[in-house]
Structure formats: C-alpha cells, structure tokens
Amino acid sequence: MRNLLIVILFLAACSGGDQSPTSMSQPIATPRSTGTSATSPLTLPAVIPRPVSMTLGPGVFHLVAGTAIYVEPATPEAMGLGRYLAERLRPATGYDVQVFAASDAPPPGSISLTITTADASLDDEGYTLTITPDQVSLAAPHPAGLFHAVQTLRQLLPASIEADTVQSGPWPLPAVNIRDYPRFEWRGAMLDVARHFFGVEDIQRFIDRMAYYKLNRLHLHLTDDQGWRLAIDSWPNLAALGGSTAVGGDPGGFLTPSDYARIVAYAEKRYVMIVPEIDMPGHTNAALASYPELNCDGVAPPLYTGIEVGFSSLCVGREATYRFVDDVLRELASLTPGPYLHIGGDETQATSEADYRSFVERVQSIVESHGKKMIGWEEIARANLHPTSVAQHWSSEWAARAVEQGLRVILSPATHAYLDMQYDPGTPMGLHWAGYIEVQDAYDWDPATQVPGITEKDVLGVEAPLWTETVRTLADIDFLAFPRLAGIAEVGWSAAGAHDWSDFRERLAGHGPRLSAMGVNFYRSPQIDWR
Ligand code: TNX
C-alpha cells in the first residue's frame, strides 16, 4: 500500500505522469517518444530551461511541516539565499520553514544549500541539485548557481507551490540528479519604460518572472522620444517635463535615483544585472523638448506622444550636447553597479552619417571615462569601436561589422526575440513589422547560426526586448512576454544539442498552472496543449 502511494505521489510530481514508471533513471539527452503510448518511458520533470543533465532516481522526498533549510558556509549572501528559498516555500505550504547555519551534516529530511568548489567546472552560474527520499541538496561554486538551483527546485514541486495563499499539498519532490550550467553568460530581457512608464513594483514583478527562467540581465530602455524616465540631478527638466507624458497621451512618470537604486538592489538579490539605456543621438525628443540648447536651432520641439521613429536627433555639433551626455552618463554610472551603459544608437535617420560616427566615438570615450563599457544597438558598428564595447543585433547585418572590429554581440533578432510582436493577427496588442511571432518562432533559432559572420564564440548571449508602444499594464507585459520569454531563456541557457521544440512544448504545457499560480497573465498559445 505504502509503495503504491509512493508511486502515485511520484507520478504526481512528474509531468505526464500517466506513463509507465519502469524506467526510473534516464539521462535527459536520451531520445524518447513524445507521445503517450504505454511503452514510452517516464516523462522527466518539466524544467525550463532544460538542464544539461537530469536523471531520475527512485522514490520521492516530501516537503513537510518540519522541513528546514541548512546553509553552508553561512555567509550573509548564502544565508540570504536560504531565506529567499524559505520565502518561496512558506506561502503555499503554510509551513514556517526555518533557515539554519549548518554546523554538521544536515539532518535527514532537510534541504541543504552549499557553496562548494567540489565541481569548480560549474563556473559562475552552474549548480547541482540532488534529491533522494531523505535529502535535498543544492550545491554550487558561486551563489548565482545556488540561486538557479532554487529555481529548478521550485519547478520540481507541484505548480500550486507558486500560489500566495495556503494550498492543500502534499509537496512531493521526485528523486533526481541534476547537473546544470548555462550556454551563454548573457540571458536578458529588455523593458521599454519610455513609451509607457512602469514603476518600481511592476519592474520588480518582471524581474521575479525573468529570474524563474534563469534570465540574468534586465536592460531598461529609460529614454525615448515619448518619455525620459530617470531623474538626473544636473538636468532636472529631463524627467520633470520630458517624463510627463507617454504614448497616446497616457500618464507619464519617472524613477528617482532612489527608485532606481531599489530596482538595482532587488535585481541583485535575484542575480539579475540592470543594464540601463539612454538612447541617443536619435530617439531623443523628450530631452530636446526639455532643453532648447540640445537642438541645433535652439528651439525646443513640443512633447511627442505618437509612435513614429527616426525623426529626432541631439545636435551633434554643439558642445552643450557633450556636457549633457557627460552629466547624464556620470550620474547613471554612479547609480549602476554593473559594468555596462547602453547608449542606444538605433534608428538615426535624422543624424548625418559623419555626425553619427563622430558622436558614437565620442560617447564611447565618455562611457569609458566613467569606468563603464559601452553597449549600443548594432548600428554603432558604423563607427570605430573598441573591442570592449558590445553591439546588440536586432535587424540588420551591422553586428557582423562589430564582430570584425573585435566586439562580442548580444542577439535580439526581431523576427524571433521581439516580445512586442503580435503572436498572430488576432493578438489584442503588439506590432507586426517584424512578423507574427508564435511561441515556436520565439523558440526555434540558434544564436550560433542566426547572423551570417557571427559564430558561437562571438555571441555574448541573447536578449528579448519588450517595446511598449502598445503595452500599458503589467498584465499586458505578461501577455506578450509569456510564454515566449521562457523559450528565449531556453535558447540562452540550454545546449544547442538539447534544442527540441516538441520536447519544449510538452514541458511548457506543465508551466501553464505554474504561471497561473504566480498570477502571470500569459498567452494561452494554441501551439501548446496546456494543462
Ligand atoms: C524598433 S529595435 C526600435 C524601437 C521600436 C521597436 C518597435 C530598435 C533598436 N528600435 O524604437 O520601439 O522597433 O518594435
């Protein structure tokens, strides 16, 4: 009877639990039937992104009222990770999960978090996760790896673990052996807070959703024609006037330096680097409207609330422009612990070619004078660049020119990675200039072969931009980002050889209840047999 119960609980903990449990240990890379025939082997738990290796063992671990977390060594950072895990487990279980500094071997029935160099090849973000009926062990050489291990652990528990109210349980975890690390170091999302403004709370929720899929970079597009969203002490009118409206005349807003610092701190606890963008010399109408001296004719244009692009330019020939750039980037650098400042550089039809090149080269030096590295949209490759700068591909072959100059690139191909594209013509928001992007389109591409002239070694990683011309609420963000962002996360994390749409779509089906439990307003794509 007890064995039968264990088998039932075990199956409940695994996705597709209607299959035979005869094959209890199966390397994840083994080809297997995606059908549900009685002869197909047991389906592995639905972890996204797919781990490098995962084998199932016999039995289940049960999270129960007394389950505690033991941390070793008990550094403040590692203890913080223990508390982060406890906070994820408490609401739905209703258990008062305790976190202890481990002095001895953790007792049976506990969860251990260990920083250890035992497997140093796991590098900055890799981890192991071992679950037996007696013990859950998360181990990594660095805290970021432990953080990712926690995300995997969450995905092995029943979906209702993500609810913020007490659920009935039980809380089985399948016995499993996972060893995992990312393919690319840069796995990002971009949020445009300029076309529509999103404040601290919304951005924090977005960070939580990203981190669940092991994304580790949040690029904030802070300025554009329609809005300037970060208060700059030395140029106060930028936010005060330039931040006062949004697309369609919707309400504006801006982040104060302390709001920005709260976002950075929140992201840091989730191992997400904030990458701030000040878009220039184009996409600058909000700044031009705020300060007449930034315009070549000395006349400030009116604020802009439409969705055209390519009509604005800072006055490249004026020294006031560089005082402005220097002041803004100095203040931004002082608020930003990460090594990068993004300077935009896209869609500069209102700037001459010679002006564009000299501007980008001068701004590159200004960024470096503040101790940072420059990132720009791929058009920056028209200028002479330093190999420490980074180019971001979106829709041309300029990024290959950047690679010729020795730069590495971030891949955000609009036809796959643009989260603001509609899924299909019926999608109630979004644009479609780069096409319609269903979940499979977002998933099915390889960063190593996407752009002629750019190979795996040139690729820093991937990033999915969410432009917000048509996006007004967190629910809208959720709808366009999920589930496509989960697909992009797998493109960035999982090995090229593990890429498999039919396998991904089955795992994604199991994430419907998880996203629902988190309150994510995701798109129920007809490509997925949602559970
Ligand atoms: C292109 S991608 C832009 C943005 C728009 C977006 C809309 C890029 C670097 N520039 O200014 O918001 O298309 O999809």
Side-chain angles (χ1 to χ4, degrees):
M1 184 58 198
R2 188 166 173 272
N3 284 350
L4 182 64
L5 185 68
I6 288 175
V7 168
I8 290 168
L9 290 170
F10 178 78
L11 291 173
C14 304
S15 62
D18 55 341
Q19 297 169 24
S20 155
T22 46
S23 165
M24 298 297 269
S25 177
Q26 179 194 9
I28 194 163
T30 304
R32 61 203 158 82
S33 160
T34 51
T36 51
S37 82
T39 55
S40 64
L42 185 69
T43 302
L44 287 158
V47 177
I48 298 175
R50 182 177 165 126
V52 171
S53 78
M54 170 156 62
T55 50
L56 287 176
V60 249
F61 177 95
H62 285 284
L63 189 68
V64 294
T67 305
I69 298 169
Y70 287 79
V71 179
E72 193 195 359
T75 60
E77 188 172 4
M79 288 298 282
L81 280 162
R83 283 193 300 275
Y84 170 87
L85 172 56
E87 283 159 17
R88 303 282 82 69
L89 302 178
R90 280 180 198 135
T93 60
Y95 306 152
D96 183 22
V97 181
Q98 296 293 303
V99 183
F100 299 109
S103 43
D104 288 309
S110 63
I111 301 175
S112 70
L113 264 57
T114 312
I115 304 277
T116 165
T117 49
D119 189 347
S121 67
L122 286 169
D123 228 335
D124 288 350
E125 295 190 284
Y127 67 92
T128 57
L129 172 56
T130 312
I131 302 176
T132 68
D134 295 333
Q135 188 76 40
V136 175
S137 310
L138 294 70
H142 299 281
L146 272 187
F147 181 81
H148 296 318
V150 167
Q151 307 316 315
T152 301
L153 184 67
R154 291 169 69 185
Q155 296 188 11
L156 296 174
L157 281 161
S160 54
I161 194 69
E162 301 304 336
D164 58 9
T165 54
V166 177
Q167 308 291 305
S168 53
W171 305 105
L173 280 159
V176 77
N177 222 315
I178 295 176
R179 185 169 183 278
D180 198 15
Y181 51 86
R183 177 178 177 190
F184 295 109
E185 73 177 73
W186 190 290
R187 304 174 309 279
M190 189 212 80
L191 185 63
D192 170 8
V193 298
R195 270 53 177 273
H196 278 98
F197 177 64
F198 295 90
V200 177
E201 300 290 314
D202 287 343
I203 294 171
Q204 290 179 339
R205 290 293 76 72
F206 190 59
I207 291 169
D208 285 333
R209 288 142 162 66
M210 291 172 58
Y212 189 65
Y213 292 108
K214 302 187 176 77
L215 294 165
N216 65 354
R217 303 283 187 264
L218 175 60
H219 167 181
L220 288 176
H221 182 77
L222 290 168
T223 67
D224 213 301
D225 291 314
Q226 299 87 347
W228 184 284
R229 307 298 181 201
L230 178 66
I232 300 294
D233 288 341
S234 51
W235 295 70
N237 227 24
L238 291 169
L241 178 68
S244 63
T245 187
V247 165
D250 284 335
F254 59 86
L255 302 170
T256 63
S258 89
D259 291 336
Y260 182 86
R262 276 166 62 208
I263 293 165
V264 166
Y266 191 88
E268 222 161 42
K269 284 221 168 72
R270 285 148 187 83
Y271 297 87
V272 171
M273 179 196 293
I274 297 294
V275 181
E277 177 186 351
I278 304 293
D279 201 350
M280 45 193 172
H283 290 275
T284 42
N285 191 78
L288 297 168
S290 306
Y291 287 98
E293 62 267 42
L294 299 176
N295 297 269
C296 283
D297 62 4
V299 179
L303 292 170
Y304 181 71
T305 58
I307 63 165
E308 295 301 314
V309 296
F311 60 88
S312 57
S313 181
L314 294 172
C315 188
V316 171
R318 276 196 178 213
E319 276 313 298
T321 296
Y322 302 95
R323 279 200 301 281
F324 159 82
V325 172
D326 189 50
D327 288 340
V328 169
L329 294 184
R330 182 183 342 93
E331 291 192 29
L332 187 60
S334 76
L335 291 169
T336 303
Y340 299 104
L341 300 184
H342 199 305
I343 62 111
D346 57 317
E347 297 174 321
T348 53
Q349 293 88 320
T351 316
S352 76
E353 182 68 16
D355 276 359
Y356 181 80
R357 287 196 208 141
S358 74
F359 180 83
V360 168
E361 287 163 18
R362 194 155 164 190
V363 171
Q364 179 174 242
S365 319
I366 295 173
V367 168
E368 291 172 0
S369 76
H370 298 301
K372 302 295 185 187
K373 297 178 196 169
M374 180 178 82
I375 307 183
W377 296 105
E378 64 191 323
E379 291 95 317
I380 60 168
R382 287 148 59 192
N384 287 320
L385 300 173
H386 299 158
T388 45
S389 296
V390 173
Q392 183 166 8
H393 164 71
W394 61 286
S395 115
S396 71
E397 295 192 358
W398 280 113
R401 282 286 302 280
V403 165
E404 282 166 22
Q405 296 194 55
L407 283 76
R408 295 182 77 202
V409 296
I410 297 163
L411 295 185
S412 305
T415 49
H416 298 283
Y418 265 35
L419 299 175
D420 64 317
M421 293 300 117
Q422 291 170 286
Y423 292 93
D424 64 29
T427 311
M429 70 197 86
L431 307 174
H432 54 255
W433 63 263
Y436 298 103
I437 304 183
E438 249 297 351
V439 179
Q440 185 171 6
D441 304 307
Y443 180 75
D444 264 343
W445 60 287
D446 180 0
T449 57
Q450 177 65 23
V451 184
I454 298 181
T455 59
E456 177 119 7
K457 68 177 184 341
D458 309 316
V459 177
L460 193 54
V462 302
E463 188 178 295
L466 179 46
W467 304 98
T468 57
E469 286 95 334
T470 64
V471 177
R472 304 170 71 192
T473 64
L474 180 63
D476 294 350
I477 291 177
D478 280 349
F479 187 78
L480 289 175
F482 294 97
R484 289 184 290 199
L485 193 54
I488 302 289
E490 180 148 313
V491 170
W493 179 282
S494 305
H499 191 90
D500 179 345
W501 163 250
S502 65
D503 179 80
F504 176 74
R505 72 182 280 279
E506 280 191 30
R507 280 178 289 126
L508 186 56
H511 278 238
R514 294 181 185 280
L515 293 167
S516 295
M518 285 179 207
V520 176
N521 177 41
F522 67 100
Y523 165 64
R524 284 167 178 75
S525 165
Q527 294 185 328
I528 310 298
D529 299 324
W530 297 103
R531 300 226 180 85

